[in-house]
Amino acid sequence: MESTIAQKQTFRDQLPTADASGGRRWLYPRSTSGRFTRWRTVVAVVLLIALFAGPFVWVNGHPLFLFNVLERRFIFFGVMFWPQDFYLVAIGLLTFIVFVALFTVVYGRVWCGWACPQTIFMEMVFRKIEGWIEGDHNARKRLDAGPWTTEKVVKKSLKHGVFFLMSFAISNTFLAYLIGRDQWLTLITDDPAQHLGGLTAMLVFTAVFYLVFAWLREIVCTTICPYGRLQGVLLDKNSLLVAYDYIRGEPRGKRVKTGPSGGEELSVKLCSVRQSTHHAQKGDCVDCKLCVQVCPMGIDIRNGTQLECINCTLCVDACDGVMDKIDRPRGLIRLDSQAGIEEGKPFRFSGRILAYSAVLVALLGLIGFLLVSRPVVDATVLRAPGQLFQREPGGHVSNLYLVEIINKTYRPMPVQFRVNQPGASLRFVQPIASVPAGELIKGSFFIQLPEKTIRQNSTPLRIDVLAGDEIVDQIQTTFLGPVK
Ligand code: SF4
Ligand code: SF4
């Protein structure tokens, strides 16, 4: 009990992953099972399949996802985006941030424990591989503490070999998202000498993933990831999180039973507790520390909400198992709010949650409108630099313009340009009849105006871009003429 009090007083002064001298304290989380673990496994399997399949799913001959930064080509759920659509990406990112913030206010770090790729790969892939090769937490601890025997060399080599292969698979998937399925296939099947840059990138990504999952592990969540740092300002007393019911659990301690000789108290093992425990003075926590042993972040949730907690619910399952054994109701550690624990208040929507929801709905509406109204052809027209105007025969004045046209669809797009000004005519230097699917083409054209219609040195003009008979873009520009 004294050590528990001492720990309560000092736990905020030290990192769970650092020893007294500041060195790394390696964690050996115990495996557990339960309803939340089963659901997390289902969610993880679905997300892993989606993640690995993502770059290889094509619909109507086009990838579903592509994030080709080098060639500035982006496809999201089959819709093609160009750098010119960056305002949509910015609004989309803003929406995503508000969405995550809203979720954090309401559901705590549910993203971290259930959907973050770092947690899914670490806990559902790499930690599982480690357990299969090296055994459960005690076996792993013994192996690390012991001398370098043949068994240790074999197990460590095998584990790190599999880790490297897994990192290689993740790296290839990541690369396929970046450069696309076909370029990735060329990269791995072609002569390596032709693709030194791509192969180097593949090895660098592999090394980074291996470093993250073999060595950094929980440090990514506790020290590197900015979202974890934000948690403290996003949570409030009504946020749903993994919480220990200290009112029910304290004072914690081993159960005691009255022995056959009468009056003598002795500590008992959990499995024998059921028949003769009494709960008069003690809370429901039997201080078995299973919740601490299963925690992948190395924390004791009984100390209260902590920055390190990723809401993985492993401690909930571990504690529920203990409560089942001692015939107490489940939920000593459960998903609840601080207010719910302290005051027995049911979960409710606070004003802050409603405000966040309103902002989120408005942003979703805006991004939906912008997506629907996004032109399928994007044209940029600029007057040729260094040129003013030219006088032409027949009393005309002309200006030279440079044009860039992007076709954001998957089919060739016939285009025409029309100047919305009486007496004006437009003449391409090299005619552009259509823009190939998903391509950007450049050209130049002259606009001519009768000199007698020019009233100012800079005349505003509107150029309509037509695909067939439909106006798909409108461009405002100016026409320079002789000063009157
Ligand atoms: S698992 Fe439950 S009973 Fe065991 S120490 Fe944790 S809170 Fe207490
Ligand atoms: S305290 Fe519980 S929910 Fe939080 S990280 Fe540890 S095991 Fe997961």
Side-chain angles (χ1 to χ4, degrees):
M1 191 67 183
E2 275 174 20
S3 68
T4 306
I5 294 168
Q7 188 201 356
K8 267 183 163 177
Q9 288 166 343
T10 60
F11 83 95
R12 288 195 197 281
D13 300 334
Q14 63 201 32
L15 282 171
T17 48
D19 60 23
S21 61
R24 176 90 179 263
R25 186 168 77 84
W26 199 256
L27 298 180
Y28 300 92
R30 182 185 188 130
S31 61
T32 190
S33 59
R35 58 197 166 129
F36 286 107
T37 305
R38 279 195 294 278
W39 275 112
R40 270 181 82 224
T41 307
V42 171
V43 172
V45 169
V46 170
L47 290 177
L48 283 171
I49 291 172
L51 186 93
F52 280 111
F56 306 103
V57 177
W58 281 44
V59 179
N60 296 330
H62 310 289
L64 201 58
F65 298 104
L66 178 69
F67 303 98
N68 195 332
V69 180
L70 293 180
E71 292 178 12
R72 302 185 302 164
R73 290 182 62 223
F74 306 93
I75 299 174
F76 193 62
F77 283 107
V79 180
M80 199 186 301
F81 291 91
W82 285 76
Q84 282 78 355
D85 297 315
F86 186 77
Y87 68 101
L88 287 177
V89 178
I91 294 169
L93 276 176
L94 195 63
T95 309
F96 179 72
I97 290 167
V98 175
F99 192 80
V100 169
L102 174 73
F103 252 76
T104 309
V105 170
V106 185
Y107 300 109
R109 288 174 75 174
V110 71
W111 160 264
C112 297
W114 289 65
C116 174
Q118 162 69 22
T119 307
I120 289 179
F121 277 119
M122 187 64 245
E123 302 307 324
M124 296 296 178
V125 179
F126 286 84
R127 191 90 71 191
K128 292 259 189 286
I129 293 170
E130 191 169 66
W132 290 328
I133 295 173
E134 294 185 352
D136 199 2
H137 65 303
N138 278 332
R140 298 203 298 273
K141 206 184 285 184
R142 273 199 306 274
L143 191 71
D144 280 3
W148 280 95
T149 58
T150 310
E151 182 199 358
K152 183 167 174 173
V153 170
V154 169
K155 283 187 171 175
K156 290 286 176 194
S157 309
L158 182 61
K159 180 181 89 169
H160 286 286
V162 178
F163 275 10
F164 189 83
L165 284 179
M166 201 60 224
S167 304
F168 187 69
I170 301 171
S171 162
N172 275 271
T173 311
F174 186 58
L175 213 53
Y177 273 108
L178 288 183
I179 60 177
R181 180 194 67 181
D182 294 346
Q183 278 198 51
W184 172 77
L185 273 173
T186 309
L187 182 67
I188 59 167
T189 52
D190 213 4
D191 176 9
Q194 304 297 318
H195 302 279
L196 289 180
L199 292 171
T200 305
M202 189 187 286
L203 288 177
V204 169
F205 289 150
T206 303
V208 169
F209 287 123
Y210 173 76
L211 184 76
V212 164
F213 295 116
W215 302 105
L216 286 177
R217 303 189 154 199
E218 70 283 345
I219 290 176
V220 173
C221 307
T222 57
T223 312
I224 299 173
C225 174
Y227 176 56
R229 311 279 74 70
L230 275 175
Q231 186 200 203
V233 293
L234 293 173
L235 297 180
D236 66 13
K237 284 184 79 172
N238 294 309
S239 301
L240 201 59
L241 32 83
V242 171
Y244 166 66
D245 188 342
Y246 62 90
I247 294 173
R248 192 185 133 189
E250 301 294 320
R252 70 186 72 160
K254 295 267 185 288
R255 288 289 173 275
V256 291
K257 73 176 180 181
T258 304
S261 56
E264 188 186 355
E265 291 188 336
L266 65 153
S267 295
V268 291
K269 289 181 180 166
L270 276 176
C271 57
S272 63
V273 160
R274 187 178 302 179
Q275 304 97 23
S276 53
T277 54
H278 68 83
H279 307 280
Q281 293 87 25
K282 293 275 169 67
D284 278 352
C285 176
V286 294
D287 205 15
C288 64
K289 295 189 175 59
L290 272 182
C291 53
V292 185
Q293 291 171 13
V294 300
C295 179
M297 310 309 289
I299 60 172
D300 185 344
I301 194 64
R302 296 172 301 168
N303 289 328
T305 306
Q306 289 154 77
L307 184 73
E308 293 86 354
C309 176
I310 54 169
N311 267 23
C312 70
T313 59
L314 287 172
C315 54
V316 179
D317 277 341
C319 191
D320 279 352
V322 177
M323 293 299 111
D324 288 349
K325 283 182 182 157
I326 63 169
D327 274 346
R328 297 295 298 151
R330 289 179 169 189
L332 177 59
I333 300 176
R334 61 178 182 269
L335 283 166
D336 203 340
S337 65
Q338 198 182 330
I341 299 275
E342 283 173 4
E343 302 152 29
K345 273 188 184 171
F347 180 71
R348 66 180 180 81
F349 283 90
S350 65
R352 183 150 66 128
I353 295 172
L354 292 174
Y356 274 37
S357 304
V359 173
L360 183 62
V361 169
L363 283 170
L364 284 176
L366 178 64
I367 202 163
F369 170 77
L370 291 173
L371 274 174
V372 169
S373 61
R374 188 185 75 136
V376 290
V377 170
D378 196 292
T380 308
V381 173
L382 295 171
R383 235 189 2 264
Q387 304 236 6
L388 290 176
F389 57 86
Q390 300 85 40
R391 280 204 162 84
E392 301 211 352
H396 284 87
V397 175
S398 70
N399 280 194
L400 178 63
Y401 295 84
L402 305 179
V403 60
E404 270 187 14
I405 318 163
I406 300 168
N407 177 0
K408 297 177 187 172
T409 70
Y410 292 114
R411 60 183 192 284
M413 185 68 73
V415 288
Q416 290 175 54
F417 284 69
R418 188 171 66 198
V419 195
N420 218 305
Q421 179 81 5
S425 62
L426 186 148
R427 187 182 79 246
F428 267 93
V429 176
Q430 282 179 328
I432 297 175
S434 84
V435 186
E439 293 283 329
L440 177 152
I441 59 171
K442 296 181 180 181
S444 53
F445 58 72
F446 287 99
I447 292 180
Q448 267 188 353
L449 279 182
E451 189 168 347
K452 61 178 186 300
T453 64
I454 299 172
R455 304 270 175 265
Q456 51 199 351
N457 64 349
S458 177
T459 307
L461 288 182
R462 196 188 83 207
I463 301 171
D464 293 339
V465 185
L466 294 98
D469 294 333
E470 188 191 348
I471 296 176
V472 288
D473 201 2
Q474 292 187 318
I475 299 153
Q476 303 292 339
T477 184
T478 52
F479 184 95
L480 297 184
V483 181
K484 292 283 173 185

